[in-house]
Amino acid sequence: MVLEFASSPRSSVGLEWELALVDADSGTLRQVAPAAMAALAGDPRATHVKPEFLRNTLEVVSGVCTTVGQATADLASGVAAIQDVITPMRAELMGAGTHPFAHWSQQRVTDKERYATVVDRTQVWGRQQVVYGVHVHVGIEDRAKVLPIVRSLLVYVAHLQALSASSPFWEAADTGYASMRALLFQQLPTAGLPYQFGQWHELERYVDDMLRTGVIDDFTEVRWDVRPAPHFGTVEVRICDGTSNLHELAALGALVHCLVEHLSTLLDEGRPLPTMPRWYVHENKWRAARYGLDAIIILDEAGNEELVTDATARLLDDLAPVAERLGCATELDAVRDILRLGASYQRQRAVAAAHGGGQPALEAVVASLVAELRAGRPLAPTS
């Protein structure tokens, strides 16, 4: 088959933020997404809001932007619109990779044929996808660049996974992982890390095979952690857990934006892009999901290793000139706040510990996540 790649301005950027709807009093998940979408009808801000797989979820999306700042402003508009209609319902928005204590069997799927098909095919694994993520699109002006950039971005999967990790709790238990979402989501048949294709025709062959055998109905059902998005003309990075606040989301968006532009520039200059064998990439993803910011990651195909926080600090120095060109220096520098103050999974565990454990502690975790979303920034845990 021929897989067309749409025209897209170089290093244009778009952001997508999946958010949970929770009860304002108990913190439990609420199935009010359809009611919220109905209430948003006619509101111009509704262009930034979309329903998702589950009725407890809404997705806030930006337009096609030139800077991360513009994209996050779109997200803020969408969040405000949702809050206006759900507040009278006694509901709130929560950002994280998973809900700390909800049980997947109690969640209802949005009434849409494609979602029903996912559940019918994947059964319990599909039903368990009570997970939330952040997706970053970056425009690529030349299809020949797409697969080399996808392969090279896999070197940085661990950095992004560790920085965004926000799902330590699952079904009222501490999993021991910084990102339980990473391991849950990759169980779907076409999710997880991508194949490292060298040529576009190899990707076309893969898609043709998947369509012919009924694995997918269209390319959007290929849910890799990093994937081409041919219909948008972008590379889409989907590895990040859902974030609890816009400050950290903007930081992650800027890091991806700068990485893609940096790799694109290396290609323009005829310089080699960093890559790693598939087995190292898999190990790095697991280490970042398990240990978060305490992970020691593999840096290169030679097997050199370093603490992810140290590797990220050096990467930020390397990307600083790129951020200046892209107009996101402030947002990229906010990654250092995560390195200094800790990631969401760490704050969630601190809140739970401060409240003594058990169900009341997990309700306090949800309350802290709701508070961070409303504040737009991370907050210090309180007892």
Side-chain angles (χ1 to χ4, degrees), residues 17-20 29 54 56-57 94-101 128-134 161 164-171 177-185 238-245 248 252 344-345 348 365 369:
W17 189 13
E18 296 170 348
L19 294 166
L29 286 171
L54 296 173
N56 62 44
T57 309
M94 185 204 83
T98 56
H99 187 280
F101 60 84
Q128 285 189 329
Q129 299 305 308
V130 189
V131 296
Y132 312 91
V134 166
Q161 183 78 82
S164 69
S166 62
S167 47
F169 299 107
W170 174 250
E171 295 188 358
Y177 282 77
S179 175
M180 183 65 172
R181 170 191 169 271
L183 305 185
L184 285 168
F185 191 66
R238 301 161 51 87
I239 188 67
C240 294
D241 274 13
T243 59
S244 64
N245 62 87
E248 290 179 318
L252 294 166
S344 176
Y345 76 92
Q348 290 181 49
V365 171
L369 292 167

Side-chain angles (χ1 to χ4, degrees), residues 153-162 193 225-226 239 281 285 288:
L153 283 171
L154 297 180
V155 174
Y156 307 102
V157 157
H159 305 63
L160 293 164
Q161 183 78 82
L193 293 164
D225 297 331
V226 183
I239 188 67
V281 175
K285 179 181 176 181

